[in-house]
Amino acid sequence: MDLSLNEQQELLKRTVADFMVHECPKTVLLELDRHETGAPPELWNRIAALGWVGMLIPQQYGGGGNSLTDTAVVYEELGKGPLPGPYFSSGVLGALTVLEAGSEEQKRQILPNVARGSQILSVAAQEPARKWGPGMVQLTATPQNGTLTLNGTKLFIHDAVAATHLVVAVRTQASQNPAQGISLVVVDKSLPGVSARTLPGFLGWVCEVKFENVRVPASAVLGQAGNGWPAFARAMEKAIPILCSYQVGGCEAVFDMSVEYSRTRIQFAQPIGRFQRVQDHIIHLTNHMDAARWTTYEALWKLDSDRPAASSVHLAKAVSSEGYYQACNYAHEVHAGIGISREYGLTLHTKMSRTLYQCLGDPLYHKRRMADALDL
Amino acid sequence: MNFEVEYTPEQEAFRKEVQSFLKVNVPAGLVTTAAVEAITHEQYLMQRELGRKLGGKGWLFPTYPKEYGGGGLNLDQTIILEEEMDQYGLSLPPYYNSGGNLGAPSILVWGTDGQKRQFLPPIFKGEVRVWQLLTEPGAGSDLASVKTTALRDGDDYVLSGQKIFVGSNHEVDWLWTLAVTDPNAPRHENLSWFMLDASLPGITIQPLDLLTAGGEGGAGSGVKNSVFFDDVRAPASALVGGENNGWKVATTHLELEHGGGGHIGRNRLWERLLHYCMTHELDGRPMTKDQDIRDLLMDIYIDIEIGRLFGVRNYFLTHAKKARSYEGPQSSMWRKSGNLRIAGFIQKILGYLALTTDPAHVVEEGHIELHQRSAIVGLHPGGTVEVQKLIMARRIGIGRTVREEAGRLA
Ligand SMILES: Cc1cc2nc3c(=O)[nH]c(=O)nc-3n(C[C@H](O)[C@H](O)[C@H](O)COP(=O)(O)OP(=O)(O)OC[C@H]3O[C@@H](n4cnc5c(N)ncnc54)[C@H](O)[C@@H]3O)c2cc1C
């Protein structure tokens, strides 16, 4: 057994951490928080040039061909910001979806651009008034003379405004089994009839996307029509632990803030960290952080070593989502007044923790799926 | 025992009187919005106007003595007033006035006859709005360690220092504060309590950018500020309760702020949530018929009912002048931590919908999204959850035979 990162991973971790300290200090993060996509082109291009967007894309398609664990090392550091932007949506979920679902030609066409950052993907699956899962995909794509016409609304799509291309889950056949009859269609966002806007509120870079008579060639369907969901499910299984590692990074950041504050904030002539009630908050926070960390690392290891990983992936997502959410709550209790001041930086995490709690299925969904994966 | 408020024919007549008064005097354009920070000045002036009209009848501070401009009304009449205001989504007063709500009872207990005559009628009649200025950058939970000084100079006190997380937006007439009057005296014996005219030279108000400072009932503060005192000269008559006796004065308003006064009224958050779930569908059926959602709704209901009963109990204890001990901080603690739990349950029910204010998807005009933020922010004002626990422990007598007593209310 060896639970440590290897040398290259340690080096990578330090490189990304350095980048974050120098290029994305709190002042920059507060600006990004007000930015429409969270990723101004200049920053996006620099990070893509560093190879951190295309890490999971195999070398023959212009990516780094890294393992999931390598990639998670990077996302954990980005999560500490938290650095917003379509890094995960495009470089992880989008790229993996194309890899799992696309034909050889489609992979050759799309993935090098994704790795380079010149194409930005966002997978659009969820729809209004539906629970997460294949049953939510109802958007219609009508075939006609070698084209498909899309009509309908996708809701709560991460980074759709930032994206240049959407991978849209559409229902091409009605079926008893909701996971059948779904196709994944690559839609150029500049096509007439496509509109995306960011939803305001206590959430970040989550969008509504509308399709009004959007016509794409039949060749825009990734791989085989009707077989989209199983491919997307395989992509999610690999992508989710990367999202979890981002949440782990978030936990670590609010942990650091809270421990530091407990040492420096003086009330009743002593550091507040001397009060057992404050200690309790940070101890609960620590437990959430470590639970998120180790469930995530084990899921990554299982996937990287080709072991069956389904229950571990669901475990990691349920635990990390709840963990990041609760870690932020505890951090707020520790900080009291100063923590709700936007310029302090804690609320960037609080907002992110709420947003990611829902992303790719909430904890309740993953607990259900975990029970299935455990054959209960 | 009787949990029901029963109304005599006289009281029902009073309700009619209140109803017809509000029908005439609540302006049509007075809205209660989730975006309290965005309340326009015009809206604010309407709230104040209504406040003055209520004050003119003694209904703004209904239980307070008539001789100072209060209503001299009893518990049942007050309940009627609050219920009828609540029909319009308003509370008493219909705007943020923490300094009046908490300052007036403190003056009633600790002020001289002259001070009562000077300060109370304008508050009770709604002529002034008042903010409380306690917290400082270095003094939150440890309020007794405030550093703002008020040093005697002839017939005046000269104040310097900084307060934080205080007040609201739009205007303010009076401010009250705690400041050090004897820098050499021991803790708790060095402070005095001042009621200040907000227009005194040397007072600067600077708004803060917070996650929110909103709340329910149209009385959420909307905005919090830093307030700076730069050599502010106040007359000696502004000092209430005796020099270096400020900590004792503070026990009265701290007791009230810790929930000792109690609360009655409907829970609008619950009503809104239920309304949404009954009128919207998930996977093709009403949300309230989904078993997961039913479970979560009942978790919320339990939390709210316990909180309601704690509030009703405290309201009864206060107005029936019964002995109280840990009940105030208990109710406050329950409300604070309960709201955070409830926010979690609500996100489980509504998902992303709980988080957005987008006009096309917003739930209940933004009140649900606001609650997601105010549940976090609300943990801190008036003493954190930990501070409530601390006070409960002292008053229950955990580990000590001498129990601390509850603060004195009028
Ligand atoms: C929305 C809002 C409105 C407010 N309105 C007003 C207002 O109108 N007027 C005003 O004067 N103030 C106001 N405040 C300030 C509020 O009263 C303080 O934020 C609060 O008392 C906590 O102080 P603090 O923020 O300095 O936290 P701190 O006191 O620094 O607390 C930090 C942490 O230490 C813990 N802690 C401190 N002491 C102890 C102890 N002895 N035992 C165990 N744990 C301890 C706290 O619980 C917390 O977890 C408002 C605050 C907010 C957020």
Side-chain angles (χ1 to χ4, degrees):
Chain A
M1 183 161 49
D2 179 5
L3 302 186
S4 45
L5 298 177
N6 66 32
E7 239 170 81
Q8 280 139 319
Q9 289 164 343
E10 287 289 0
L11 184 67
L12 186 60
K13 186 181 170 71
R14 278 198 300 278
T15 310
V16 185
D18 259 15
F19 179 88
M20 288 298 288
V21 168
H22 293 111
E23 308 299 320
C24 300
K26 195 164 76 183
T27 46
V28 171
L29 293 169
L30 289 169
E31 271 171 40
L32 294 180
D33 188 47
R34 287 186 291 269
H35 190 272
E36 204 195 0
T37 66
E42 199 250 349
L43 182 63
W44 168 261
N45 289 332
R46 267 179 50 220
I47 290 180
L50 285 163
W52 298 342
V53 174
M55 288 183 79
L56 284 174
I57 295 173
Q59 281 168 346
Q60 77 255 37
Y61 305 121
N66 292 85
S67 68
L68 290 168
T69 309
D70 294 345
T71 311
V73 166
V74 172
Y75 278 80
E76 189 173 316
E77 294 307 314
L78 301 184
K80 285 184 185 169
L83 182 72
Y87 306 97
F88 173 82
S89 291
S90 186
V92 179
L93 187 62
L96 288 171
T97 304
V98 174
L99 265 175
E100 292 293 339
S103 67
E104 183 57 29
E105 195 192 333
Q106 288 167 325
K107 291 183 212 176
R108 264 191 281 119
Q109 239 173 30
I110 300 170
L111 293 176
N113 292 327
V114 172
R116 218 179 291 131
S118 56
Q119 265 188 30
I120 301 175
L121 303 179
S122 161
V123 182
Q126 198 164 356
E127 294 180 25
R130 300 273 166 193
K131 280 192 191 179
W132 180 262
M136 70 191 165
V137 179
Q138 301 292 329
L139 192 138
T140 56
T142 320
Q144 196 189 15
N145 307 332
T147 65
L148 287 173
T149 305
L150 277 64
N151 272 300
T153 301
K154 292 286 181 183
L155 196 56
F156 310 128
I157 309 309
H158 286 244
D159 302 309
V161 166
T164 60
H165 292 75
L166 300 165
V167 180
V168 189
V170 299
R171 192 156 286 285
T172 38
Q173 286 152 250
S175 159
Q176 281 290 84
N177 175 355
Q180 278 168 12
I182 292 172
S183 302
L184 300 170
V185 186
V186 180
V187 177
D188 184 332
K189 227 182 75 202
S190 62
L191 284 178
V194 186
S195 57
R197 64 197 177 89
T198 307
L199 303 174
F202 193 28
L203 76 180
W205 305 281
V206 176
C207 313
E208 180 196 71
V209 188
K210 286 199 159 150
F211 301 89
E212 276 173 78
N213 294 319
V214 177
R215 291 232 331 234
V216 293
S219 61
V221 173
L222 287 178
Q224 228 186 338
N227 264 345
W229 188 267
F232 180 48
R234 289 194 300 278
M236 277 196 288
E237 186 169 293
K238 294 179 186 158
I240 282 172
I242 307 291
L243 186 63
C244 296
S245 65
Y246 186 91
Q247 293 171 312
V248 170
C251 290
E252 289 167 353
V254 300
F255 169 83
D256 288 345
M257 278 185 203
S258 301
V259 174
E260 177 61 17
Y261 197 66
S262 78
R263 293 177 182 146
T264 50
R265 173 66 173 173
I266 309 289
Q267 288 289 275
F268 301 96
Q270 52 197 313
I272 57 165
R274 299 269 166 80
F275 300 121
Q276 289 186 6
R277 293 203 170 95
V278 173
Q279 294 172 0
D280 278 349
H281 289 319
I282 298 182
I283 285 164
H284 289 310
L285 195 171
T286 311
N287 292 345
H288 278 293
M289 170 179 71
D290 286 334
R293 192 194 326 252
W294 292 106
T295 52
T296 297
Y297 288 176
E298 192 183 41
L300 288 163
W301 165 74
K302 284 189 180 174
L303 288 163
D304 274 337
S305 57
D306 288 325
R307 288 172 165 78
S311 70
S312 283
V313 170
H314 295 301
L315 177 70
K317 182 64 168 80
V319 171
S320 306
S321 294
E322 199 65 47
Y324 191 20
Y325 184 103
Q326 297 295 343
C328 290
N329 283 359
Y330 286 118
H332 275 291
E333 302 234 33
V334 171
H335 284 84
I338 194 72
I340 62 160
S341 158
R342 289 195 194 259
E343 65 181 11
Y344 188 81
L346 174 57
T347 58
L348 298 176
H349 283 285
T350 317
K351 183 171 85 171
M352 192 60 89
S353 75
R354 272 57 181 166
T355 309
L356 298 185
Y357 192 87
Q358 300 304 135
C359 185
L360 303 180
D362 71 359
L364 183 59
Y365 169 82
H366 285 284
K367 284 190 260 185
R368 295 259 158 95
R369 302 288 299 135
M370 188 174 12
D372 295 342
L374 291 169
D375 287 328
L376 301 186
Chain B
M1 204 177 292
N2 183 1
F3 277 73
E4 198 172 3
V5 188
E6 287 175 342
Y7 302 105
T8 61
E10 293 82 50
Q11 286 165 343
E12 286 301 352
F14 179 67
R15 183 188 298 281
K16 289 247 157 58
E17 189 190 342
V18 173
Q19 282 170 343
S20 41
F21 173 87
L22 292 179
K23 200 166 170 193
V24 176
N25 290 298
V26 176
L30 189 62
V31 290
T32 54
T33 160
V36 273
E37 58 271 29
I39 277 196
T40 61
H41 192 64
E42 205 184 340
Q43 282 285 327
Y44 167 73
L45 292 178
M46 280 189 209
Q47 295 174 346
R48 288 295 302 275
E49 170 74 14
L50 176 59
R52 272 190 295 275
K53 286 182 178 159
L54 286 162
K57 296 194 69 93
W59 289 356
L60 194 61
F61 285 80
T63 57
Y64 286 92
K66 259 194 156 130
E67 60 170 316
Y68 301 118
L73 301 181
N74 61 26
L75 174 62
D76 297 332
Q77 288 165 311
T78 306
I79 292 177
I80 289 170
L81 264 168
E82 291 192 350
E83 282 176 350
E84 294 305 322
M85 285 293 279
D86 202 41
Q87 292 297 321
Y88 292 87
L90 297 170
S91 52
L92 272 181
Y95 46 84
Y96 176 82
N97 189 26
S98 71
N101 296 357
L102 302 169
S106 311
I107 291 167
L108 205 54
V109 174
W110 301 100
T112 62
D113 275 351
Q115 285 172 325
K116 290 181 198 174
R117 277 194 303 276
Q118 182 189 351
F119 295 132
L120 295 178
I123 295 176
F124 292 158
K125 292 189 153 78
E127 289 157 9
V128 294
R129 127 147 127 163
V130 193
W131 295 349
Q132 53 156 346
L133 273 53
L134 295 170
T135 307
E136 296 185 3
S141 303
D142 183 12
L143 177 59
S145 74
V146 292
K147 294 279 176 291
T148 296
T149 51
L151 301 178
R152 184 81 190 223
D153 181 30
D155 287 342
D156 296 336
Y157 285 92
V158 179
L159 284 90
S160 356
Q162 183 194 348
K163 299 283 170 179
I164 193 169
F165 301 124
V166 297
S168 175
N169 47 2
H170 307 300
E171 297 99 8
V172 60
D173 303 290
W174 294 351
L175 311 166
W176 52 258
T177 194
L178 267 183
V180 176
T181 35
D182 183 354
N184 300 316
R187 191 178 157 84
H188 294 152
E189 293 167 26
N190 57 343
L191 305 173
S192 302
W193 199 96
F194 293 90
M195 178 63 96
L196 305 169
D197 186 329
S199 64
L200 287 174
I203 298 179
T204 316
I205 298 172
Q206 233 173 53
L208 297 160
D209 182 16
L210 304 180
L211 185 58
T212 178
E216 281 286 326
S221 68
V223 171
K224 287 283 155 189
N225 312 281
S226 287
V227 173
F228 298 87
F229 296 116
D230 293 304
D231 292 333
V232 176
R233 269 187 183 273
S237 59
L239 191 155
V240 175
E243 195 173 63
N244 299 327
N245 202 36
W247 188 251
K248 288 226 180 68
V249 180
T251 56
T252 296
H253 53 76
L254 291 177
E255 180 61 25
L256 283 170
E257 216 182 353
H258 294 157
H263 176 78
I264 53 159
R266 42 190 190 138
N267 187 305
R268 299 186 67 85
L269 179 74
W270 171 252
E271 289 177 3
R272 288 183 169 119
L273 181 64
L274 205 59
H275 173 258
Y276 185 85
C277 290
M278 280 163 50
T279 52
H280 288 77
E281 292 194 345
L282 187 66
D283 286 344
R285 56 183 188 164
M287 294 178 78
T288 42
K289 296 298 169 201
D290 179 280
Q291 193 55 52
D292 296 335
I293 292 178
R294 290 170 77 83
D295 289 353
L296 289 160
L297 283 172
M298 290 306 100
D299 284 333
I300 294 171
Y301 186 72
I302 289 169
D303 237 317
I304 285 177
E305 282 296 283
I306 292 170
R308 178 182 65 81
L309 286 164
F310 285 173
V312 167
R313 173 200 59 191
N314 291 7
Y315 198 90
F316 166 75
L317 292 177
T318 301
H319 293 275
K321 309 233 188 290
K322 304 265 182 197
R324 289 166 304 106
S325 118
Y326 61 82
E327 291 87 354
Q330 178 185 44
S331 162
S332 168
M333 175 197 159
W334 190 271
R335 183 171 41 76
K336 283 162 181 272
S337 42
N339 261 326
L340 194 61
R341 282 191 296 271
I342 290 168
F345 293 138
I346 292 179
Q347 186 173 345
K348 287 186 166 76
I349 293 173
L350 295 173
Y352 292 101
L353 284 171
L355 304 173
T356 185
T357 51
D358 183 75
H361 305 288
V362 68
V363 176
E364 300 291 301
E365 290 102 35
H367 289 281
I368 298 293
E369 187 270 352
L370 174 66
H371 180 260
Q372 293 294 318
R373 290 179 286 133
S374 66
I376 297 167
V377 172
L379 290 167
H380 318 307
T384 63
V385 175
E386 291 68 47
V387 166
Q388 310 302 333
K389 289 182 183 172
L390 204 99
I391 303 169
M392 276 184 81
R394 288 183 189 154
R395 295 194 183 166
I396 294 169
I398 301 177
R400 53 163 82 191
T401 43
V402 182
R403 296 190 200 178
E404 185 187 83
E405 281 180 28
R408 242 180 90 189
L409 303 182

